[in-house]
């Protein structure tokens, strides 16, 4: 930080803004456009980048107006619009680049390994494949979507499907990497967070360096909430902005150790046995970044909220009805937003950013189940199943006339 402070905030703003959308290696990446703040001394030849980041900041005007009490300054940061379809790319480019550097320097590393609920394994596998580095993935059997499972398989990773949950996979990979020359790639490794923090800087860039009032992030292993805090706080400390937003960490009620810790006044954290949730990437009962998350929330006047399965799936469906194609984890964050708005904690005109962590296509199975009304004990209020109609003109017209009878306005004569 002392070295970075030799340059003022105006210098850093101009430098970062000058690199947006360029193809000059490696600065076209949303992460490596902030190279001096991420991994300053790495040789560009060692960087493994798939031009991650630069993701869409989506103005969720209709969702805010119709479902969040008329909010007109609501935004969704679509981090899932990235190479492997999740925000994990932002951290993985940094970690795999550093491993690539170490290997080229002759360090005895034979590969990189991770435990995963899906998205981490996809990112690790893609970046390792690009760098020709073996990847070893520990996944909980039958607990991730098919789309998430096929990504590391397609990218040539060594995939071990284990009869345990994520926390069990995490314990095993830590034991294995302590004995074998396999580099640990989970967010316990701070290199991941150095890349993920750039999403916070990117949000400020997209608002022309104006600070939003709130940022809402889904939380599982809890590295991401700290990464956003770190990105915002670096911008404040280095003079790019004069404050940081209030942070909200949103958890699924079926995997809510941070929420329970928050409700207990931050006293004596206790891990939980996470139950099955549609937000499978945050189905974690013993998060490795708990201390970092608590630090971030305490230093940003932050809040922790939770969402039931029905709440998160309904929120996801409502988002989709307004033009998004959200993942269940985004549903968790949107549900938290709705609750905080209803309680008056978030104001109607507060500029609020919800972080969408993955692409909805990774969770198409859950969407099919919801719209087919096949989820036990769930009403699926916003389901929109296809209508079966005979393939003849009369039948089609009968259905369409019935749908449109209350939507077609009479034509007024114009003089």
């Amino acid at each position: 930080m002392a070295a970075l402070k030799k340059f003022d905030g105006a210098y850093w703003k101009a430098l970062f803004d000058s690199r947006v959308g360029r193809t000059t290696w490696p600065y076209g990446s949303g992460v490596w456009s902030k190279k001096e703040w991420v991994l300053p001394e790495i040789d560009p030849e060692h960087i493994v980048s798939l031009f991650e980041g630069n993701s869409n900041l989506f103005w969720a005007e209709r969702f805010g107006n119709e479902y969040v009490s008329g909010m007109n300054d609501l935004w969704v940061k679509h981090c899932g619009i990235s190479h492997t379809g999740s925000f994990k790319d932002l951290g993985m480019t940094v970690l795999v680049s550093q491993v690539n550097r170490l290997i080229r320097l002759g360090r005895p590393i034979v590969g990189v390994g991770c435990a995963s609920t899906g998205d981490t394994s996809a990112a690790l596998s893609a970046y390792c494949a690009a760098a020709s580095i073996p990847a070893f993935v520990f996944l909980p059997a039958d607990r991730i979507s098919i789309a998430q499972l096929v990504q590391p398989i397609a990218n040539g990773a060594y995939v071990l499907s284990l009869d345990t949950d994520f926390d069990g996979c995490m314990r095993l990979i830590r034991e294995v990497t302590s004995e074998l020359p396999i580099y640990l790639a989970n967010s316990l490794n701070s290199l991941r967070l150095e890349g993920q923090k750039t999403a916070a800087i990117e949000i400020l860039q997209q608002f022309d360096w104006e600070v939003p009032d709130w940022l809402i992030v889904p939380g599982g292993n809890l590295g991401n909430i700290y990464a956003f805090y770190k990105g915002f706080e670096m911008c404040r400390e280095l003079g790019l902005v004069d404050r940081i937003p209030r942070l909200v960490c949103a958890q699924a009620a079926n995997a809510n150790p941070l929420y329970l810790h928050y409700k207990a006044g931050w006293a004596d954290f206790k891990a939980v046995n996470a139950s099955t949730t549609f937000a499978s990437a945050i189905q974690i009962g013993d998060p490795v970044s708990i201390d970092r998350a608590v630090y971030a929330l305490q230093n940003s006047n932050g809040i922790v909220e939770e969402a039931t399965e029905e709440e998160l799936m309904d929120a996801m469906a409502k988002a989709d009805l307004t033009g998004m194609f959200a993942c269940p984890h985004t549903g968790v964050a949107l549900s938290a937003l709705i609750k905080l708005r209803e309680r008056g904690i978030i104001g109607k005109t507060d500029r609020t950013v919800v972080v969408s962590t993955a692409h909805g296509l990774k969770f198409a199975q859950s969407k099919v189940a919801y719209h087919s009304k096949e989820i036990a004990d769930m009403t699926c209020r916003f389901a929109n199943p296809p209508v079966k109609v005979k393939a003849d003109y009369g039948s089609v017209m009968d259905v369409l006339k019935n749908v449109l009878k209350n939507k077609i306005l009479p034509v007024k004569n114009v003089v």
Side-chain angles (χ1 to χ4, degrees), residues 34 55 88 112 123 198 208 273 277 287 303 334 341 378 415:
K34 288 89 176 169
S55 57
K88 301 296 179 75
V112 189
T198 61
D208 292 326
N273 290 320
T277 171
I303 296 172
L334 291 170
R341 177 72 193 97
M378 190 176 292
V415 179

Side-chain angles (χ1 to χ4, degrees), residues 187-348:
S187 57
L188 187 67
N189 189 315
S190 61
L191 286 167
R192 290 268 307 281
L193 305 184
E194 292 304 305
Q196 288 167 208
K197 76 184 181 191
T198 61
I201 308 168
E202 198 169 284
I203 288 171
L204 295 176
Q205 280 184 283
Q206 290 169 311
F207 282 134
D208 292 326
W209 302 102
E210 293 182 2
V211 182
D213 298 302
W214 296 89
L215 184 92
I216 305 176
V217 186
N221 224 10
L222 303 181
N224 211 22
I225 187 74
Y226 175 75
F228 273 96
Y229 167 78
K230 186 172 186 180
F232 287 124
E233 180 59 20
M234 282 188 72
C235 287
R236 187 199 64 79
E237 189 172 347
L238 291 168
L240 285 76
V241 297
D242 59 3
R243 64 183 181 91
I244 68 171
R246 291 186 68 181
L247 301 182
V248 177
C249 190
Q251 292 207 293
N254 284 1
N256 63 350
L258 181 67
Y259 175 77
L260 297 176
H261 190 35
Y262 170 75
K263 297 297 285 186
W266 303 123
D268 299 325
F269 172 76
K270 295 180 177 64
V272 302
N273 290 320
S275 302
T276 301
T277 171
F278 283 102
S280 57
I282 57 174
Q283 187 179 317
I284 297 169
D286 191 11
V288 299
S289 293
I290 177 65
D291 293 335
R292 290 166 168 160
V294 172
Y295 179 86
L297 290 160
Q298 289 179 338
N299 284 278
S300 64
N301 193 20
I303 296 172
V304 186
E305 189 52 84
E306 67 173 357
T308 67
E309 292 302 289
E310 187 150 13
E311 287 170 341
L312 72 90
M313 291 297 283
D314 281 349
M316 178 183 74
K318 287 188 284 190
D320 291 351
L321 288 172
T322 68
M324 288 183 258
F325 195 67
C327 65
H329 317 84
T330 308
V332 174
L334 291 170
S335 179
L337 165 68
I338 292 168
K339 290 181 176 183
L340 294 173
R341 177 72 193 97
E342 288 175 347
R343 297 205 298 266
I345 296 172
I346 294 180
K348 181 177 180 179

Side-chain angles (χ1 to χ4, degrees), residues 56-60 74-78 324 330 334 353-354 356:
N56 179 26
L57 187 62
F58 176 87
W59 184 26
L74 175 63
W75 303 79
V76 176
K77 179 62 170 169
H78 278 300
M324 288 183 258
T330 308
L334 291 170
V353 178
V354 173
S356 178

Side-chain angles (χ1 to χ4, degrees), residues 76-104:
V76 176
K77 179 62 170 169
H78 278 300
C79 292
I81 303 176
S82 192
H83 183 73
T84 72
S86 88
F87 77 95
K88 301 296 179 75
D89 293 353
L90 304 178
M92 206 58 73
T93 181
V94 181
L95 183 139
V96 174
S97 294
Q98 179 70 343
V99 171
N100 188 43
R101 172 179 179 269
L102 294 173
I103 291 173
R104 294 194 184 198

